[in-house]
Amino acid sequence: MADESRVPHPGTWEDVASALGVGADMLWPRAVRDVVKTGPEREIVDAYPYRNACPTSVWSRLIDSAVKDITFAGYTNYFLWQEQSRLADRLKTKASAGCTVRFLIGDPDSDVTRRREAVEGVPLTVGTRIRITLDALERMGAVEGLEARFSDEHIALSVFSFDDEMLVTPHLSSLLGHESPMLHLRRLGDDGLYDRFAGHVTALWASGRPAAVSGTSSVLHEATFASSEVD
């Protein structure tokens, strides 16, 4: 009896399958599944056990290569300003070239934010981190194509999209954002993982409230810029 665990070298699969007039997945289904992603998971480019395990170079590439749409749907987005050099200038350049840049952030004065602050119990509070983002956006001035809205419904899930690629962080319990896992997705078809998360952000953006960015600077001057991180 043939040993089903033995299969040709992957380089010969297509030649053999073509000669027999069948697909390689029909001849060696288990082997093909082990090597080639064939289901919904094929949209997963990479997975990181912690958000800060994703190299900053990946973030830089995604930001700088986007041409149509950039959406930062993290609750505070604070870490972006700490990790990405000249982010404001880069985003202004993107917006001026026709790329839509959106920030969906939490309301610093909402009950949701206050409850999260009580859970975390860190000096650099959630509200302060949101105001850091608001202050950074205010300093950018009026930029066509740049918009920010408040939402309280994404505190447990951060989604950062760049054209057809996306970074997603589901937040775990009382952990800070950088301690939670992250998925890197690439859109390959309709109603896949990318589209499911994109639909989530679209719905929250539609129901979001315009974020006022004026009057934040005076508050931020008193903030303690500790090393704590969260989206």
Side-chain angles (χ1 to χ4, degrees):
M1 179 179 293
D3 184 353
E4 295 183 358
S5 66
R6 299 183 62 186
V7 298
H9 187 277
T12 68
W13 287 357
E14 293 302 328
D15 290 340
V16 174
S18 178
L20 296 177
V22 297
D25 57 335
M26 179 178 294
L27 295 174
W28 304 285
R30 181 178 300 177
V32 171
R33 283 197 303 269
D34 289 343
V35 175
V36 181
K37 296 177 181 178
T38 58
E41 71 276 10
R42 68 195 181 101
E43 290 197 331
I44 300 176
V45 177
D46 215 334
Y48 303 95
Y50 306 95
R51 190 196 68 205
N52 61 1
C54 177
T56 56
S57 59
V58 172
W59 287 89
S60 295
R61 179 188 68 78
L62 293 173
I63 293 170
D64 294 336
S65 63
V67 296
K68 297 180 297 183
D69 174 80
I70 295 175
T71 299
F72 299 107
Y75 201 75
T76 78
N77 295 299
Y78 157 75
F79 72 97
L80 293 166
W81 310 100
Q82 314 305 308
E83 297 178 0
Q84 292 295 314
S85 62
R86 300 179 57 255
L87 179 61
D89 290 338
R90 290 155 63 192
L91 294 181
K92 288 175 70 172
T93 298
K94 286 292 176 182
S96 65
C99 182
T100 298
V101 180
R102 303 184 300 175
F103 280 82
L104 186 68
I105 53 181
D107 186 335
D109 298 314
S110 72
D111 290 339
V112 173
T113 295
R114 283 191 283 271
R115 286 195 296 269
R116 182 63 190 178
E117 290 176 339
V119 170
E120 291 185 0
V122 296
L124 193 63
T125 66
V126 178
T128 297
R129 295 197 297 271
I130 293 172
R131 290 185 176 93
I132 289 173
T133 291
L134 292 173
D135 181 68
L137 295 176
E138 181 179 38
R139 291 173 186 273
M140 291 173 65
V143 180
E144 185 175 355
L146 173 66
E147 187 176 356
R149 295 185 184 181
F150 286 139
S151 175
D152 299 324
E153 300 182 45
H154 65 304
I155 194 166
L157 178 67
S158 295
V159 178
F160 311 92
S161 62
F162 314 87
D163 289 349
D164 291 335
E165 293 189 66
M166 176 183 288
L167 296 171
V168 179
T169 294
H171 295 274
L172 302 181
S173 185
S174 59
L175 297 181
L176 298 180
H178 69 283
E179 299 174 309
S180 293
M182 171 170 277
L183 294 177
H184 180 181
L185 306 178
R186 179 181 291 116
R187 188 180 189 279
L188 296 177
D190 294 340
D191 202 31
L193 292 174
Y194 180 101
D195 279 2
R196 298 298 304 279
F197 287 116
H200 164 79
V201 173
T202 297
L204 294 186
W205 182 261
S207 62
R209 309 180 298 282
V213 298
S214 61
T216 60
S217 299
S218 60
V219 176
L220 295 173
H221 289 320
E222 302 175 1
T224 301
F225 286 78
S227 60
S228 304
E229 287 187 81
V230 73
D231 288 334

